[in-house]
Amino acid sequence: MKITDNLNPKQLEAVQTLEGPLLILAGAGSGKTRVLTHRIAYLMYEKNVYPNNILAITFTNKAAKEMRERLEKLIKQSVDNLWVSTFHSACVRILRREIEVLGYTSNFVIYDNADQQTLIKMILKDMNLDEKKYTPRSIITQISSYKNELKSPTSAKKTAENYYDEVTCDIYEKYQTRLKENNAVDFDDIIMLVVLLFQKDKEILQKYQERFKYILVDEYQDTNTCQYMLIKLLAEKHHNLCVVGDDDQSIYGWRGADIRNILNFENDYQNTKIIKLEQNYRSTQTILDAANGVISNNSDRKSKSLWTDQSGGDKVYLHTAHDELSEANFISRKIREMSKENSLGFNSFAVLCRTTVQFRAIEDGLIRNQIPYRIIGGTKFYDRKEIKDVLAYLKILVNPADEISLKRVINTPKRGIGDTTWDHLKRHATNKNITVFEALNTPEEAGVSSRATNPIKNFKKIMDEFIILSKKTDITNLTNTILADTGYIEELEAEKTIEAATRVENIKEFLSVTLDYDTKNPGGDLETFTAEISLFTDIDNYDQNEEAISVMTIHAAKGLEFPTVFIAGLEEGIFPHIRSINSGNNTELEEERRLCYVAITRAREKLFLTNAWSRMIFGRSTSNAKSRFLDELPLELIESEARIKTKATFTKNVETQIVTKTCNSSYDVGGKVEHQKWGIGVIVSVKGSGEDAELNVAFPDLGIKKLIAKYAPISII
């Protein structure tokens, strides 16, 4: 079979356009991964390009893994020589080889969010700053923003607008200093430091420019300033840059993604060729028409329209519930009904929410209906305390200067080394210009109590033994030795609680991770293992074959697809989110609309949209109007209970004189309506007219309820 077989004309053109800058605008489900893999194979086997001269960048480990697997199947051989990886994985590889130019050593460790917060708290304490005013989480978010924009502490301070910003920049400066002292980098540093490296050392830049003659970047619409600059530097010699993306799926502006990178690509690179992939291989035409109907309301986009040869399809079903619990019950009942009638596995269904706040009610409904489910984006496995403890031990063996990991485990399990002792050790290390790990050799000089001296020396002795062992054995055996010799498992088992037993089970699961790594990477080093774990994300663990409903945020669902999708909470203030509405910024509302487009295009066959008259959020009941996105859907694509009811003709009832309700019904203040659940009520106010009228109706013993005429189960009396 030829590499170019089974490609549609536009895909073929994208695969065979190899020289110069190329922008592939790939709509949802249009086969972009297929194009990328076939393009790489075509470069290798039709144009004889050496694998090491190709760099393919994705955003998630899951996407990189899928691309490698497809490539191996396509070319029938290993792709180990190919750089097919995420931005972060590729940059870690470069930093391991070149970071000494920036004053670090190659055995640096990567700090996750919890490590960052610990370090920020230490700095706030040193600066006598109030954690309530300068919250570690907000400080980390701001520092991340600076790094994504390639701003150093000095350049960031020049743009400070107030005293708070100036203090944040001071914290940023101390934070970077402490990171370097610990020979550590955070997630944002990984890419930023490579850019700084390339800008500082032209010889290193030229080496990688010469190496990567052909560069492919997936999901280009999600790149931030730092990622944009990295690609620009690498591509400026050969200009053989192919970027694939969809501006209609740019949904990460809140974390620094800049949609202008894809919208202005042809301005950045002269003689750019643009190819649009608009044929969809995932969804029915009905679902695509719904998606096109919504996204066409955005102005900041490149025109395209998805189509498929799967004509028709079920209409999009809209259900309006009384409250969030009724909404969850409808979703659960519908899933059970469809699963039974069509013999579908529960993994055929997904419930997508705008925010995690909606999860509770959805979970309650699934539990009541005895439906198995999994939350994507809950407590991540590698964020669990026991897993972070074990990883901290391993990180110290890679980099003894890692002060954050050392502080985490020096008294875990309990050894009688408390915070006061740590402060003495830290102060002594600073005065002697040595690491805290080195200061453990002479605790007497640090002024610690005699009671803590022996525990410190014993801890240092056992850690030195682990370091020696780490050079001789695999990671599974090393981890087992740490758990046994430190007494970590023994302490958990002694608790004899369900929580402790669960932690032991989680540690056993971690050992299955180390065993899998050892099996796949004979002789693999601890340094690489800990780096890979640091780059792991929750979605990488997604198993599409698990027999359970997937409940997740729409952001987490990007890149996934399901036969049947429920999008919950389509109300103003929920989706679109209240922040985008209150911002007064059309840019944020357009990103919300793109998020709606992403949600709709996750569905292959059936799509359900739900909202509620009232919703309990943060302990307060609120009533919101229907989402504006519902009005943007083509009317002929929608089926709903309200619409079904308005089609029927109600016979005149002598006692109540119920008349037919049509889309042209008139609602007047003082008039009466009958609600299927709440009974007869009096209209106290009307906003709008006809089916779009918003009514405030007073019901006996229930008070005033806000209703939308189009969707409410009411009849005029």
Side-chain angles (χ1 to χ4, degrees):
M1 185 182 72
K2 290 178 62 178
I3 288 170
T4 54
D5 286 349
N6 301 320
L7 297 172
N8 70 36
K10 286 296 182 182
Q11 290 175 337
L12 179 61
E13 184 182 6
V15 165
Q16 294 181 329
T17 303
L18 302 178
E19 304 300 319
L22 172 65
L23 170 60
I24 302 174
L25 292 172
S30 62
K32 66 181 178 65
T33 305
R34 183 181 186 82
V35 168
L36 285 169
T37 52
H38 280 68
R39 183 180 170 87
I40 294 170
Y42 191 80
L43 280 166
M44 292 168 57
Y45 286 93
E46 298 292 337
K47 298 301 178 182
N48 297 316
V49 175
Y50 188 62
N52 263 356
N53 293 140
I54 301 171
L55 173 65
I57 295 291
T58 70
F59 266 82
T60 67
N61 294 316
K62 180 177 178 292
K65 180 183 178 183
E66 180 184 359
M67 196 180 297
R68 284 194 295 268
E69 288 174 347
R70 287 205 199 180
L71 264 172
E72 288 183 344
K73 188 175 181 180
L74 183 63
I75 65 178
K76 305 293 192 297
Q77 69 178 60
S78 171
V79 294
D80 289 344
N81 288 335
L82 271 168
W83 283 53
V84 180
S85 64
T86 64
F87 270 102
H88 290 90
S89 294
C91 287
V92 166
R93 289 180 70 177
I94 293 171
L95 290 176
R96 290 291 180 205
R97 301 174 183 183
E98 318 289 354
I99 199 170
E100 291 182 3
V101 172
L102 298 176
Y104 297 76
T105 59
S106 62
N107 64 333
F108 63 86
V109 293
I110 302 169
Y111 280 0
D112 63 15
N113 187 262
D115 298 327
Q116 289 178 275
Q117 289 202 47
T118 299
L119 183 53
I120 290 294
K121 287 177 181 178
M122 289 179 176
I123 293 168
L124 292 175
K125 183 179 178 181
D126 291 344
M127 296 175 69
N128 292 317
L129 293 174
D130 185 358
E131 272 190 38
K132 292 181 180 178
K133 183 176 182 181
Y134 299 93
T135 61
R137 189 182 298 276
S138 63
I139 295 294
I140 289 169
T141 299
Q142 187 57 59
I143 289 174
S144 176
S145 178
Y146 287 146
K147 291 184 178 183
N148 288 335
E149 295 171 8
L150 287 173
K151 289 182 179 179
S152 66
T154 302
S155 60
K157 199 162 191 176
K158 291 178 181 177
T159 62
E161 297 181 356
N162 49 51
Y163 179 72
Y164 181 92
D165 289 347
E166 290 178 2
V167 174
T168 299
C169 291
D170 290 337
I171 297 169
Y172 176 21
E173 184 173 22
K174 293 182 184 300
Y175 172 76
Q176 285 303 104
T177 300
R178 294 285 288 274
L179 280 176
K180 198 166 187 178
E181 288 174 354
N182 292 347
N183 197 34
V185 300
D186 64 23
F187 205 61
D188 298 306
D189 279 330
I190 292 171
I191 301 175
M192 184 184 75
L193 290 177
V194 174
V195 173
L196 296 179
L197 175 71
F198 286 164
Q199 291 173 335
K200 179 177 182 177
D201 194 312
K202 297 304 178 186
E203 286 187 13
I204 292 177
L205 172 60
Q206 288 170 8
K207 177 172 71 175
Y208 287 96
Q209 285 176 336
E210 188 57 41
R211 176 170 193 160
F212 300 128
K213 293 182 172 67
Y214 293 89
I215 301 173
L216 302 87
V217 184
D218 192 14
E219 305 286 10
Y220 192 68
Q221 78 280 350
D222 292 333
T223 53
N224 58 34
T225 300
C226 192
Q227 292 159 338
Y228 164 85
M229 184 56 67
L230 173 72
I231 297 302
K232 196 171 191 301
L233 287 167
L234 285 171
E236 65 184 7
K237 181 171 184 178
H238 297 288
H239 300 285
N240 296 326
L241 172 61
C242 167
V243 301
V244 183
D246 182 4
D247 51 303
D248 288 336
Q249 295 188 72
S250 179
I251 59 174
Y252 296 111
W254 51 276
R255 71 179 188 196
D258 191 341
I259 194 173
R260 293 174 298 179
N261 293 345
I262 193 167
L263 293 178
N264 299 331
F265 183 81
E266 59 266 45
N267 298 329
D268 291 332
Y269 298 92
Q270 292 184 349
N271 304 315
T272 293
K273 183 169 185 176
I274 301 176
I275 298 174
K276 296 181 181 180
L277 304 181
E278 297 172 293
Q279 183 175 1
N280 178 281
Y281 293 92
R282 175 189 300 160
S283 308
T284 66
Q285 190 62 53
T286 298
I287 290 171
L288 297 182
D289 288 344
N292 289 332
V294 171
I295 201 63
S296 63
N297 290 274
N298 269 6
S299 57
D300 206 6
R301 66 186 291 260
K302 292 179 179 290
S303 64
K304 55 188 168 302
S305 185
L306 296 179
W307 63 275
T308 179
D309 52 18
Q310 301 180 57
S311 60
D314 290 351
K315 286 191 174 185
V316 177
Y317 192 89
L318 172 63
H319 175 80
T320 299
H322 171 56
D323 55 25
E324 76 277 8
L325 298 179
S326 299
E327 177 187 50
N329 280 332
F330 166 78
I331 292 171
S332 302
R333 289 196 310 270
K334 202 69 182 175
I335 288 173
R336 183 163 287 288
E337 171 191 311
M338 293 173 65
S339 175
K340 185 177 181 180
E341 289 180 357
N342 303 301
S343 299
L344 297 173
F346 288 124
N347 58 355
S348 299
F349 303 89
V351 182
L352 307 185
C353 302
R354 175 60 182 86
T355 68
T356 57
V357 172
Q358 298 168 253
F359 286 178
R360 179 194 58 80
I362 300 295
E363 285 190 80
D364 287 348
L366 293 170
I367 291 169
R368 278 195 299 271
N369 287 274
Q370 297 182 318
I371 296 175
Y373 69 94
R374 55 183 167 184
I375 298 289
I376 309 296
T379 302
K380 299 177 180 64
F381 179 74
Y382 293 104
D383 283 347
R384 299 180 188 278
K385 178 188 182 301
E386 59 276 12
I387 305 303
K388 289 187 68 63
D389 288 345
V390 176
L391 279 171
Y393 273 106
L394 295 176
K395 284 182 178 181
I396 296 167
L397 308 187
V398 172
N399 174 26
D402 180 3
E403 181 183 309
I404 301 301
S405 294
L406 182 61
K407 188 174 191 298
R408 183 179 187 91
V409 299
I410 195 169
N411 199 40
T412 306
K414 298 237 180 320
R415 301 183 175 91
I417 307 174
D419 289 342
T420 302
T421 300
W422 172 266
D423 290 341
H424 282 301
L425 291 167
K426 172 63 180 162
R427 193 177 304 111
H428 177 61
T430 302
N431 293 337
K432 291 290 186 179
N433 196 26
I434 57 176
T435 67
V436 179
F437 190 77
E438 291 171 321
L440 299 179
N441 290 317
T442 54
E444 305 91 343
E445 295 180 15
V448 303
S449 67
S450 56
R451 187 175 57 184
T453 299
N454 284 336
I456 291 172
K457 288 185 175 180
N458 291 337
F459 174 72
K460 180 62 163 61
K461 180 176 180 293
I462 198 172
M463 292 302 293
D464 287 340
E465 291 171 355
F466 292 154
I467 290 174
I468 295 170
L469 180 63
S470 69
K471 315 293 184 187
K472 301 177 180 179
T473 190
D474 61 33
I475 297 167
T476 303
N477 183 55
L478 174 65
T479 306
N480 271 316
T481 303
I482 291 171
L483 292 168
D485 290 2
T486 61
Y488 194 97
I489 293 289
E490 184 181 352
E491 183 177 78
L492 285 176
E493 290 176 339
E495 288 185 26
K496 298 187 183 302
T497 63
I498 293 175
E499 182 184 11
T502 301
R503 289 182 173 178
V504 172
E505 290 299 317
N506 288 335
I507 290 173
K508 289 179 180 177
E509 177 61 24
F510 179 76
L511 287 168
S512 71
V513 174
T514 64
L515 184 60
D516 181 64
Y517 179 84
D518 289 333
T519 303
K520 293 179 179 177
N521 303 275
D525 62 284
L526 185 59
E527 186 177 287
T528 304
F529 173 76
T530 54
E532 286 188 6
I533 294 298
S534 297
L535 300 179
F536 192 91
T537 62
D538 192 40
I539 199 66
D540 298 326
N541 202 34
Y542 171 74
D543 179 6
Q544 64 182 7
N545 296 316
E546 183 181 346
E547 189 57 28
I549 306 295
S550 294
V551 181
M552 64 185 84
T553 64
I554 302 167
H555 284 98
K558 181 132 182 317
L560 302 177
E561 58 184 74
F562 305 87
T564 300
V565 167
F566 291 80
I567 305 175
L570 277 155
E571 302 141 35
E572 293 288 293
I574 303 295
F575 193 20
H577 196 278
I578 188 65
R579 282 196 302 268
S580 66
I581 296 172
N582 291 342
S583 70
N585 185 341
N586 194 52
T587 299
E588 291 191 25
L589 273 172
E590 291 212 345
E591 180 156 318
E592 288 289 300
R593 188 172 285 109
R594 291 194 292 270
L595 194 59
C596 185
Y597 172 86
V598 167
I600 292 172
T601 54
R602 298 312 94 195
R604 295 207 298 261
E605 299 164 13
K606 295 180 185 293
L607 177 64
F608 291 82
L609 310 176
T610 66
N611 57 7
W613 300 120
S614 64
R615 188 177 298 275
M616 185 72 72
I617 298 179
F618 303 128
R620 189 169 66 91
S621 180
T622 61
S623 296
N624 298 313
K626 66 179 179 180
S627 169
R628 67 192 68 194
F629 301 145
L630 293 176
D631 288 330
E632 295 170 357
L633 293 166
L635 200 60
E636 67 275 10
L637 303 180
I638 307 300
E639 190 67 277
S640 69
E641 291 171 357
R643 179 157 303 189
I644 292 169
K645 286 166 187 167
T646 58
K647 291 176 184 175
T649 301
F650 293 91
T651 57
K652 186 176 293 186
N653 184 299
V654 177
E655 289 184 300
T656 59
Q657 295 186 349
I658 297 176
V659 298
T660 303
K661 176 188 174 185
T662 69
C663 290
N664 296 318
S665 298
S666 175
Y667 298 94
D668 301 311
V669 174
K672 292 183 179 181
V673 294
E674 183 173 41
H675 190 282
Q676 282 188 353
K677 181 177 180 180
W678 301 329
I680 296 174
V682 178
I683 301 172
V684 296
S685 69
V686 180
K687 181 180 179 183
S689 61
E691 66 174 7
D692 292 321
E694 296 180 8
L695 314 174
N696 280 325
V697 181
F699 292 95
D701 302 321
L702 294 174
I704 295 175
K705 300 289 186 181
K706 184 176 182 179
L707 307 175
I708 309 297
K710 185 190 300 185
Y711 304 115
I714 58 174
S715 301
I716 295 176
I717 297 177

